[in-house]
Amino acid sequence: MTASFFIMMPGIDTVFILNKTIGEGRKAGLYSTLGINSGVLVHTTFAALGLSVIVAKSALAFSIIKYLGAGYLIYLGVVSLLQGKGLDLSTPDNEEKSPLKNFYTGLVTNILNPKVALFFLSFFPQFIARENLSSPAPFILLGVSCCLIGIVWFSIVTLLAATFSERLSANPKFAGRMGKVSGVVYILMGLKIAMSKK
């Protein structure tokens, strides 16, 4: 229940999924959802192995991951602005887009968000008995549970956003500006991560 609450709270992942779905279609949103939640499994593994402790205790490690993540999002934003493509749903779900690319962008965005690593490091131990903290099994069980909940929730968000964007795409002005709006959103997300502190 607690995990569901945290997953459903609007954050970088939610904005990313909405941006992908509205800008590129339902399929892009669903593959990005799978990528983001695969990132959750990566963070779970890091927490289980104790690697997240390094991020929590090292300002340098935290900063490196933070700026890599911010730089990646800003890069996506700049590319989107330079391409200047609007929303095009003339083919179902923008089939010309690579599903693997959408999966990859979701995965990298999640992995390079140090706040996620710190969240799992502080969140999971609250639900694990003290004598089991040294075992990776409870971390993995909780991580898989969060991943499954995340897939369900973000899939719902994607389907709702896709329905919304398909209706608005009939407006040429909306379709023409959507690419630039998506680019700005990515850049703002990158700046938000860059300015974040522990």
Side-chain angles (χ1 to χ4, degrees):
M1 186 68 178
T2 305
S4 300
F5 173 76
F6 281 110
I7 290 170
M8 293 178 184
M9 285 181 63
I12 293 291
D13 289 344
T14 303
V15 175
F16 182 84
I17 291 295
L18 287 172
N19 203 38
K20 269 286 185 181
T21 303
I22 295 174
E24 299 180 26
R26 181 186 294 108
K27 184 176 291 185
L30 291 174
Y31 275 98
S32 297
T33 290
L34 293 176
I36 282 176
N37 286 285
S38 294
V40 167
L41 295 179
V42 173
H43 282 292
T44 297
T45 302
F46 288 164
L49 298 176
L51 297 179
S52 293
V53 176
I54 298 175
V55 176
K57 293 185 176 181
S58 171
L60 178 60
F62 181 89
S63 296
I64 289 174
I65 295 175
K66 178 179 72 172
Y67 289 122
L68 283 174
Y72 182 67
L73 284 171
I74 292 172
Y75 163 76
L76 292 177
V78 171
V79 169
S80 184
L81 287 173
L82 291 177
Q83 288 178 343
K85 294 181 179 179
L87 182 64
D88 180 10
L89 296 176
S90 57
T91 57
D93 295 322
N94 284 339
E95 289 181 346
E96 73 278 2
K97 299 290 185 181
S98 167
L100 183 59
K101 182 177 179 181
N102 289 317
F103 174 87
Y104 176 77
T105 54
L107 175 66
V108 173
T109 299
N110 188 274
I111 290 176
L112 294 181
N113 185 350
K115 290 287 186 178
V116 180
L118 297 182
F119 169 76
F120 281 109
L121 188 62
S122 61
F123 179 73
F124 281 5
Q126 300 178 44
F127 301 92
I128 300 175
R130 185 181 297 274
E131 61 272 18
N132 294 327
L133 285 175
S134 59
S135 171
F139 287 91
I140 293 173
L141 179 61
L142 287 170
V144 171
S145 298
C146 286
C147 176
L148 295 176
I149 294 171
I151 289 174
V152 172
W153 170 245
F154 286 124
S155 293
I156 293 172
V157 171
T158 296
L159 294 176
L160 292 175
T163 300
F164 173 75
S165 65
E166 286 166 3
R167 291 179 179 178
L168 288 181
S169 65
N171 184 331
K173 291 184 178 180
F174 171 82
R177 294 174 181 172
M178 197 57 230
K180 292 183 178 180
V181 172
S182 294
V184 171
V185 171
Y186 283 132
I187 292 172
L188 292 176
M189 289 168 61
L191 293 176
K192 177 178 174 61
I193 289 180
M195 293 186 292
S196 66
K197 297 180 180 180
K198 285 187 180 181

